[in-house]
Amino acid sequence: GITTITTHYIDGALVESHGREVMDIIKPASGKVIARVTLGDEEDTRRAIAAAKRAFVTFGRTTKEERAGYLRQLHEAVSARIDDLTAAMVEEYGGVVQFARPIVQSGANAFLAAERGVQELPWTRSWGKTTVTLEPVGVAGLITAWNANALFICLKLASAVGAGCTVVI
């Protein structure tokens, strides 16, 4: 049957969409509908932003070591699903595994690169009587093109987590 998705991941749980617009996901190789997704609306967006703001209160105060640990966990989680994510990309894009798998692997590796960056980046710089401290700014809205793949989401998410920001994707 056709997969139907009617929920969004907000505040640590899958919640029913307030939005009612449904989009068909079409497999390019066959032109057939393979899934239907309920799109979020303004209310879903408001709920997600409010949850991210609440989470930022504590996440924004995490140490670079804590954020590096989260990035490592994200790398492990994505790496454990390389086959599933590759299959999904092949299904969605009509591409081949030889093309999709390296892209998915690059997405997983983005978390390791961000982890290294968090450890190596000078978070405070001083010269003369001036000191600049890098701090998280708050909730980041991560937007990708309609035809973007998991790599783009991973790159943006890794950067935001590394910086100590919560996100709405």
Side-chain angles (χ1 to χ4, degrees), residues 44-162:
D44 293 310
T45 305
R46 281 198 265 300
R47 288 190 313 194
I49 292 168
K53 282 182 177 178
R54 287 191 303 274
F56 180 72
V57 172
T58 52
F59 189 71
R61 292 194 209 115
T62 54
T63 65
K64 71 178 189 176
E65 291 77 20
E66 288 171 310
R67 292 196 298 264
Y70 290 131
L71 289 162
R72 223 175 0 267
Q73 289 176 330
L74 284 163
H75 169 74
E76 290 165 8
V78 173
S79 294
R81 303 285 304 271
I82 294 284
D83 291 341
D84 294 338
L85 291 166
T86 299
M89 189 171 166
V90 168
E91 189 84 354
E92 275 187 28
Y93 289 86
V96 295
V97 172
Q98 291 85 346
F99 169 75
R101 189 175 187 86
I103 290 174
V104 172
Q105 186 65 60
S106 294
N109 290 341
F111 296 109
L112 289 183
E115 179 190 356
R116 278 192 307 276
V118 164
Q119 298 291 6
E120 296 170 6
L121 186 70
W123 293 90
T124 302
R125 296 180 194 143
S126 297
W127 60 97
K129 294 181 179 178
T130 302
T131 300
V132 174
T133 303
L134 302 179
E135 297 177 350
V137 294
V139 177
L142 308 187
I143 300 170
T144 61
W146 65 270
N147 63 343
N149 55 51
L151 170 59
F152 295 99
I153 293 170
C154 290
L155 288 168
K156 292 178 179 207
L157 179 59
S159 297
V161 170

Side-chain angles (χ1 to χ4, degrees), residues 10-29:
I10 299 175
D11 205 14
L14 288 172
V15 297
E16 279 301 314
S17 181
H18 179 270
R20 293 293 167 245
E21 185 180 349
V22 176
M23 184 172 86
D24 289 344
I25 306 300
I26 298 167
K27 182 176 182 173

